[in-house]
């Protein structure tokens, strides 16, 4: 384990959990890499404020509010969105650059306007909340245009942390899926974005896809009355971020193949295809912005065959941040993944508890998705089998939140064996909540 420490910046540590012992001929090496950042973030952001001349903040936030016609049905949605945005603005730390965007089939600046960002203080907060009162619903939905405007606004700020908050209540019907994908590709790596769906008329895969591409969180707020507290929490988390553009760099020796890299806590997020080459033997996987927090990653590599008694470094995992001056990136921390060949059966066949736990959590997320897709397509046997397996995995791992969500979609006969019956009637909000939160994991019990 290695650490990095500097004034005004959180300290990072990397811990590697694995069973490094392989049987003769064994080639697959799995490790859970726990990354922890402490001493910054949720301590209130004082370090951030100190880091800027004049005590300003090193962050910029754009709030994108769906103002399409459907936001008027029921009227509580638009009212909830205005109140939630006002609550988020109240949560902004002084000195934070911010803007509010109204999203329909086009994107429009609500405050401050003219392609600018405002700087949060008592006056600008009051002006922004006054501008919110004039928001009305009307028009279509083209989320790609909202994201591109947010990107332009955020790019105008000389800050390290760039963050978006996006609220929608409907499907992205007024632009093609390709247009949204192009917008996400253009914005990826430029800012992070949390996405929320309000009500039950939006598309789960669209909203979770936006958050995934932009390394943010996704959730459902079925009742518009819950928006204000959700927006406040989201903004508090955004204000807690202190280091941007952190990447997980994986170096492997000649002959080692990378099978996959994925985040496994607090949510499951595939990273394998997001690799950017750093050197002939090393590649970087994006992790976004960090405050005071801990995340777990599952790294799996395939090593060359070796004889009993041999050992090798299978991979080196480093956390890096770019140098603002354009020089070599800075290494925050690193850990090593090893492979040792043994003829001791007990040593080579034991599965590391962390690896076993997160393999189960990743399968849990997958079978929920497969089960819900089968249910929608009318494959009741397939849905029962997959959701039954999900119930079994949730119970075994102690994932009580997911177990509770599953119990609203299936009647649980026996959790230990995964014996369930599909409910005849399921509230749409319950099904969407399960789908949206299916990737949320629990950590290994200490």
């Amino acid at each position: 384990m290695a650490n990095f420490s500097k004034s005004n910046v959180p300290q990072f540590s990397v811990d590697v959990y694995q069973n490094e012992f392989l049987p003769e001929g064994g080639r697959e090496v799995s490790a859970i890499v726990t990354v922890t950042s402490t001493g910054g973030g949720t301590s209130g952001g004082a370090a951030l404020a100190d880091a800027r001349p004049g005590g300003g903040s090193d962050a910029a936030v754009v709030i994108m509010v769906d103002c399409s016609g459907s936001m008027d049905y029921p009227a509580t949605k638009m009212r909830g969105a205005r109140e939630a945005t006002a609550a988020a603005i109240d949560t902004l730390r002084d000195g934070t650059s911010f803007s509010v965007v109204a999203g329909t089939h086009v994107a429009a600046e609500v405050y401050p306007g003219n392609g600018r960002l405002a700087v949060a203080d008592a006056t600008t907060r009051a002006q922004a909340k006054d501008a919110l009162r004039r928001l009305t619903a009307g028009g279509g939905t083209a989320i790609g245009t909202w994201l591109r405007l947010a990107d332009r606004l955020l790019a105008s700020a000389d800050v390290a942390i760039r963050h978006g908050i996006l609220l929608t209540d409907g499907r992205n019907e007024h632009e093609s899926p390709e247009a949204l994908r192009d917008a996400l590709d253009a914005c990826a790596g430029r800012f992070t974005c949390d996405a929320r769906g309000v009500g039950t008329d939006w598309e789960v895969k669209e909203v979770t896809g936006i958050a995934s591409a932009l390394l943010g969180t996704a959730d459902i707020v079925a009742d518009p009355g819950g928006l204000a507290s959700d927006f406040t929490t989201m903004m508090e988390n955004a204000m807690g971020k202190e280091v941007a553009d952190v990447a997980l760099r994986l170096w492997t020796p000649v002959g080692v193949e990378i099978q996959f890299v994925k985040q496994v806590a607090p949510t499951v997020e595939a990273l394998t295809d997001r690799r950017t080459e750093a050197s002939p033997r090393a590649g970087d996987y994006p992790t976004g912005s960090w405050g005071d927090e801990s995340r777990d990653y599952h790294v799996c590599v395939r090593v060359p065959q070796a004889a009993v008694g041999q050992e090798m470094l299978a991979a080196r995992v480093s956390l890096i941040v770019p140098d603002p001056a354009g020089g070599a990136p800075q290494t925050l921390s690193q850990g090593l993944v090893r492979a040792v060949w043994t003829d001791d059966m007990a040593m080579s066949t034991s599965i590391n508890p962390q690896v076993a736990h997160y393999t189960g959590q990743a399968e849990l997320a997958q079978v929920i998705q497969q089960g819900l897709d089968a249910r929608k397509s009318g494959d009741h046997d397939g849905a029962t089998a997959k959701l039954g397996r999900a119930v079994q995995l949730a119970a075994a791992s102690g994932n009580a939140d997911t177990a509770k969500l599953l119990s609203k979609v299936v009647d649980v006969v026996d959790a230990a064996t995964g014996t369930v019956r599909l409910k005849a009637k399921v509230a749409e909000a319950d099904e969407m909540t399960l789908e949206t939160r299916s990737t949320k994991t629990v950590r290994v019990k200490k």
Side-chain angles (χ1 to χ4, degrees):
M1 180 180 92
N3 294 320
F4 165 84
S5 180
K6 187 179 172 187
S7 63
N8 293 339
V9 194
Q11 180 170 323
F12 283 81
S13 66
V14 168
D15 292 291
V16 176
Y17 300 94
Q18 65 162 138
N19 175 15
E20 63 263 45
F21 295 103
L22 294 174
E24 188 172 10
R27 299 189 60 189
E28 192 166 284
V29 180
S30 261
I32 298 298
V33 179
T34 296
V35 178
T36 306
S37 154
T38 52
T42 49
S43 56
L48 252 183
D50 295 343
R52 302 284 287 175
S57 168
D58 202 14
V61 182
V62 173
I63 305 170
M64 294 160 269
V65 185
D66 191 336
C67 292
S68 62
S70 56
M71 284 292 286
D72 250 350
Y73 303 97
T76 50
K77 273 201 284 198
M78 199 68 228
R79 189 164 67 243
R82 281 194 291 263
E83 288 168 359
T85 306
I89 289 166
D90 279 336
T91 313
L92 286 165
R93 196 165 49 239
D94 278 356
T96 303
S97 302
F98 78 101
S99 173
V100 180
V101 167
T104 58
H105 50 285
V106 292
E109 294 173 57
V110 175
Y111 181 84
N114 298 321
R116 298 172 302 120
L117 293 167
V119 176
D121 60 24
T123 304
T124 55
R125 283 193 201 91
Q127 288 171 348
K129 288 190 285 187
D130 191 49
L132 285 176
R133 293 189 188 101
R134 298 192 290 274
L135 279 188
T136 55
T141 306
I143 295 173
T145 65
W146 315 356
L147 293 167
R148 287 183 186 274
L149 175 55
D151 184 35
R152 289 196 297 276
L153 290 165
L154 290 166
S156 71
D158 179 21
V159 294
I161 308 289
R162 295 184 175 89
H163 193 77
I165 287 176
L166 184 148
L167 173 74
T168 184
D169 82 319
R171 293 172 174 82
N172 197 44
E173 291 171 335
H174 295 86
E175 68 181 356
S176 67
E178 293 74 28
L180 177 57
R181 173 48 52 198
D182 288 348
L184 289 170
D185 288 345
C187 297
R190 293 173 57 81
F191 66 96
T192 54
C193 185
D194 294 323
R196 294 294 183 267
V198 61
T200 55
D201 293 328
W202 48 280
E203 188 63 53
V204 172
K205 286 182 175 64
E206 261 172 16
V207 170
T208 55
I210 291 164
S212 175
L214 302 181
L215 300 173
T217 63
D219 208 350
I220 178 174
V221 186
D223 176 4
L227 277 172
S229 65
D230 188 82
F231 265 47
T232 301
T233 303
M234 259 196 295
M235 191 60 87
E236 283 170 350
N237 288 337
M239 292 294 92
K241 302 295 184 188
E242 296 202 33
V243 182
D245 303 325
V246 179
L248 203 65
R249 175 166 290 179
L250 196 59
W251 176 90
T252 49
V254 173
V256 173
E257 301 162 27
I258 293 161
Q259 301 297 95
F260 63 79
V261 178
K262 64 175 83 162
Q263 178 183 289
V264 287
T267 57
V268 178
E269 194 64 67
L271 298 175
T272 314
D273 294 340
R274 301 192 191 185
R275 177 185 172 102
T276 52
E277 297 303 323
S279 70
R281 308 274 353 125
D284 294 345
Y285 302 86
T287 71
S289 304
W290 287 71
D292 257 16
E293 58 191 297
S294 183
R295 304 181 203 167
D296 293 330
Y297 299 87
H298 188 168
V299 173
C300 181
V301 297
R302 190 170 164 83
V303 294
Q305 285 190 356
V308 167
Q310 286 192 284
E311 57 179 272
M312 71 176 289
L313 174 63
R316 183 171 64 239
V317 184
S318 309
L319 274 186
I320 58 151
V321 287
D323 175 15
Q330 189 170 15
T331 301
L332 303 178
S333 185
Q334 66 178 29
L336 305 177
V337 180
R338 298 170 63 238
V340 180
W341 283 266
T342 178
D343 54 9
D344 184 322
M345 215 45 187
M347 288 168 79
S348 67
T349 55
S350 96
I351 300 175
N352 175 272
Q354 264 90 353
V355 172
H357 174 84
Y358 285 121
T359 301
Q361 292 292 288
E363 186 193 348
L364 173 59
Q366 185 181 37
V367 291
I368 288 173
Q369 203 61 62
Q370 290 170 339
L372 291 174
D373 287 347
R375 189 178 176 278
K376 283 175 197 163
S377 68
D379 175 7
H380 292 290
D381 290 345
T384 304
K386 294 294 183 184
L387 294 173
R389 175 65 177 150
V391 165
Q392 186 181 32
L393 287 164
S397 64
N399 194 332
D401 288 346
T402 299
K404 191 173 171 184
L405 295 174
L406 281 161
S407 71
K408 294 185 175 181
V409 178
V410 294
D411 290 316
V412 179
V413 180
D414 183 352
T417 60
T419 309
V420 302
R421 280 191 299 268
L422 293 186
K423 285 187 185 288
K425 275 200 170 156
V426 176
E428 194 168 13
D430 289 337
E431 187 172 5
M432 289 177 74
T433 303
L434 175 60
E435 186 176 0
T436 308
R437 297 180 185 169
S438 62
T439 59
K440 290 192 175 174
T441 56
V442 289
R443 305 195 84 165
V444 180
K445 295 193 197 89
K446 296 297 179 202

